[in-house]
Amino acid sequence: MKPPPSDWPRLSSSLYYREAGQMIDWLCQAFGFELRLKVEGDAGRVEHSELSYGEAVVMVGDERRGTRWGVDMSSPASVGGANTQGLLLYVDDVDAHCARARAAGARIVDEPSVHDYGEDYWADRSYGALDPEGHLWWFSQRLRSQPA
């Protein structure tokens, strides 16, 4: 398998928001992402953006109806809070990250706790949060790796 481009992870996700421009700022403030690209269209509409956290990349844009693929791209806020994906991001200090997210207004849906899958597997300290438009995020810190 060939490696991905040097500035892209093998897998990246896209998120759609009613107010993508505001949410980009919020994601940077609350979760520590860095804006690496933002393409705006008419009236400041976010057509495409790329946020990074270490080697992770998340693309963020404004909602789209009637796309050329026949699929609406919607925020959970526009579909009754329904969520079709959850994102997991590893951070260095999950408790400090949670405090930062909470201070910025994230709704913590699962407080930081240890998830230990036994000595044959791994243990992480993780928490779950909803952003202001309802996307579900998980943040984890590895405590013990799976034995080799």
Side-chain angles (χ1 to χ4, degrees), residues 70-146:
V71 177
D72 289 342
M73 309 300 193
S74 300
S75 166
S78 295
V79 292
N83 223 300
T84 60
Q85 68 177 338
L87 298 166
L88 170 73
L89 183 67
Y90 276 93
V91 298
D92 292 336
D93 182 339
V94 81
D95 292 290
H97 194 277
C98 182
R100 175 183 181 161
R102 188 187 317 271
R107 189 172 122 213
I108 308 304
V109 296
D110 191 34
E111 292 290 335
S113 61
V114 175
H115 302 268
D116 190 334
Y117 296 96
E119 293 299 320
D120 291 337
Y121 300 99
W122 63 92
D124 286 347
R125 184 163 176 77
S126 306
Y127 79 95
L130 290 174
D131 68 31
E133 289 200 23
H135 286 289
L136 179 60
W137 296 81
W138 293 98
F139 298 94
S140 288
Q141 175 183 347
R142 181 58 45 103
L143 301 177
R144 183 187 71 243
S145 294
Q146 188 172 0

Side-chain angles (χ1 to χ4, degrees), residues 5-66:
S6 62
D7 60 344
W8 274 90
R10 186 164 299 280
L11 176 67
S12 183
S13 186
S14 297
L15 298 174
Y16 298 93
Y17 289 96
R18 288 178 174 174
E19 299 290 337
Q22 292 174 18
M23 287 306 306
I24 288 167
D25 294 340
W26 189 89
L27 292 166
C28 292
Q29 175 192 0
F31 294 160
F33 282 95
E34 294 181 9
L35 178 64
R36 72 180 207 173
L37 175 69
K38 184 166 133 182
V39 179
E40 293 180 310
D42 295 337
R45 175 183 171 77
V46 178
E47 300 298 338
H48 176 77
S49 74
E50 298 168 7
L51 306 181
S52 62
Y53 191 102
E55 68 279 359
V57 176
V58 175
M59 296 173 284
V60 172
D62 277 302
E63 293 181 311
R64 294 178 174 87
R65 302 277 186 255

